Amino acid sequence: MFRLQDSRVLAVDMTGDAVKAKNGSMVAYDGQMAFKRLTGGGEGLRGMVTRRLTGEQMTVMEVRGHGTCWFADRAAEINLVQLQGDKLYVESSNLLATDARLRTGTTFTGLRGASQGNGLFTTTVEGHGQAAIMSDGPAVVLRVGPQYPLIVDPGAYIAHQGNVRQSFQSGVTFRTFLGEGGGEAFQIRFEGDGLVYVQPSERNTIAGDL
C-alpha cells in the first residue's frame, strides 16, 4: 500500500482501506477520498484534529477511500518501515504516516527526551503493516548486535526497533571539537539486537550545550 513516489513524496494506494497521517501532509490525491478526525464525528478536511497523548501534542488525520493519496512534509526524506508484529519507537516529529491497522501510542523517554529537547514522551507504532518516517537528509539504518553496541548523538536519532535497550552516557560530540558545545554531552547507548535510524543532520538539542 505504501510506496515512494520519490525520496520526498509518499504514495499510498487505497482500495477502501485507511491510513493515518500527519495533519496537513496530504499534497494531492485522485479517486474518492474522505478525511476525518480520529475521535468524534465530522468529515472533510476540517475533520483533522489535534489529539493530546500524555501531555504530547500530535496532529493526526485519517484518510480513507479508493485511489492514491500523496503525502509530504517540508521536503523531508521519507523512509518506509515494515513491521511484522514488532514495535517501532519514533520521535513524533519524524512520523509521517502509518497503516491504519497499526496501533500508535506513547512511551516515556525521560532523560533522552529531555536531552533532545523533544519532551519526555516518544511515539510507539506496533503491529503488522507499514509506517513512513521522515529524516533531514537520507536516513541511515544501523544494526545493533549482541556484541556490537551503538552510540548515537541525541540530535541525530530518529527511531529504533527490535529487542534494543537504551542507556545514557556522557561524552563528547563533534560540535564540542568545533567549539560549538560546552564540553560534556549526553549520548544514547543502544544494546541488544535491532535497528536504529539516524539522520545526517543534527537537530538542536539541550545535550549539545551541556
Side-chain angles (χ1 to χ4, degrees), residues 1-13 68-72 76-81 96-97 130-135 138-139:
M1 188 171 70
F2 283 24
R3 58 185 173 86
L4 294 180
Q5 189 74 29
D6 64 26
S7 65
R8 298 180 180 183
V9 179
L10 170 69
V12 182
D13 300 314
T68 301
C69 197
W70 289 269
F71 301 91
E77 298 282 336
I78 300 171
N79 314 271
L80 298 183
V81 179
L96 177 63
Q130 289 179 294
I133 61 177
M134 299 179 292
S135 57

Side-chain angles (χ1 to χ4, degrees), residues 8-141:
R8 298 180 180 183
V9 179
L10 170 69
V12 182
D13 300 314
M14 286 180 274
T15 57
D17 40 4
V19 62
K20 292 181 289 187
K22 185 175 182 179
N23 186 33
S25 62
M26 187 274 293
V27 295
Y29 70 88
D30 63 20
Q32 298 294 322
M33 297 289 170
F35 302 83
K36 72 174 185 177
R37 68 185 69 192
L38 291 179
T39 58
E43 294 185 355
L45 291 175
R46 293 190 180 184
M48 306 171 188
V49 295
T50 297
R51 62 187 176 117
R52 295 181 180 274
L53 296 174
T54 56
E56 181 184 58
Q57 178 174 295
M58 294 178 61
T59 54
V60 181
M61 62 181 178
E62 182 185 80
V63 184
R64 182 182 299 274
H66 295 264
T68 301
C69 197
W70 289 269
F71 301 91
D73 186 41
R74 291 173 293 183
E77 298 282 336
I78 300 171
N79 314 271
L80 298 183
V81 179
Q82 182 71 46
L83 295 177
Q84 300 289 348
D86 51 331
K87 183 181 293 186
L88 174 72
Y89 298 81
V90 56
E91 296 305 313
S92 60
S93 59
N94 294 100
L95 182 60
L96 177 63
T98 67
D99 185 328
R101 297 172 298 172
L102 294 173
R103 301 182 300 277
T104 56
T106 58
T107 188
F108 180 72
T109 60
L111 182 59
R112 194 198 77 206
S115 68
Q116 289 176 248
N118 282 349
L120 298 180
F121 296 89
T122 195
T123 300
T124 60
V125 183
E126 186 175 11
H128 294 266
Q130 289 179 294
I133 61 177
M134 299 179 292
S135 57
D136 186 3
V140 178
V141 185

